[in-house]
Amino acid sequence: MNNLLSIENLRTTFKTYAGDVQAVRDVSLTVREGECLAVVGESGSGKSVTMLSVMRLLANNARIEGRAIFQGVDLLSLPEREMRRIRGKDIAMVFQDPMTGLNPTLTVGLQLREGMMYHLGLSRAEADKRAVELLNLVGVPEPERRLKQYPHEFSGGMRQRVMIAIALACNPRLIIADEPTTALDVTIQAQILDLLKRLKKEFNTSIIMITHNLGVVAGMADRVVVMYGGRVAEVGTVEEIFEEPKHPYTWALLRAVPRLDRSARERRLEAIPGSPPNMLQPPPGCPFHPRCPYAMNVCAAEAPAMTPLSDEHRAACWLLHPDAPPVEFPQEVTEA
């Protein structure tokens, strides 16, 4: 598959009164045509800021460096007017909270047709017809009546479906879904994920799924990017990340997942000791070393390079160096 989006050496820094917040530090990753790429990690790891940097939807105090090549064009060097033509048309975003992503003072119909009239040049009647088709597609009942309603008249799950319909309105090549199932009950979560999988299959749409829920990753993703401290810690296919993880942070994330195939005592959640780094003063070397039980002196002195493990699998850890002491990853991480 060809690369649809290539992020190269992305760095995002926020200027604040307290100092520079180094939210994203030298991140490189690719998204291929028709695949679902999951970006996982704890809160504050840089997942959302990475994608908001690509979309150029950050506050004015953000400084973005690097490149984001989408269909041969560097999004980070485009004039704002040209970037507006890409947002919503070629790349769409489903935000974490649909109640803040939708304008509470505008009807759902107006918010659905706005992008189609701007990007596709449709008339209001044509846009309304397409809006009804989109609401049907995402499973919103009585779409003609719903077009006249406001976001507060929808349930949380229905609002998220509306957000997905807006994202699909102009047939984008890439959808960025930022925690699309947060705050939804388990049944609605499953419905939203099934919807995204169906849309990916039917329209060959690429999806970037930002999440901390590894259950979502297992059932949705083709490849996985694990982020920590504003950096990429590990990249691989979903099978490689779940069955052969190589970074201690990935091990810790997997051990924190509840297991229903064990007794209540055995499936006790294992929290990761310590706290995520302060990005005003990120630790030198590997950002995970203050919390890592396998940390060596070199981990605190120098950031490890990405080590290739297979065609798809790479990890940034000094334990993978030929001179490092042998360490076996915990077997319980991947035991069925």
Side-chain angles (χ1 to χ4, degrees), residues 17-40:
Y17 290 114
D20 289 354
V21 177
Q22 302 174 48
V24 177
R25 302 187 291 160
D26 201 28
V27 166
S28 296
L29 57 88
T30 59
V31 185
R32 296 167 185 163
E33 294 180 352
E35 81 164 346
C36 178
L37 178 74
V39 183
V40 304

Side-chain angles (χ1 to χ4, degrees), residues 136-152:
N136 265 321
L137 179 66
V138 300
V140 175
E142 302 180 86
E144 293 87 352
R145 181 174 66 88
R146 293 291 197 173
L147 289 180
K148 301 174 184 177
Q149 293 183 327
Y150 291 84
H152 72 270

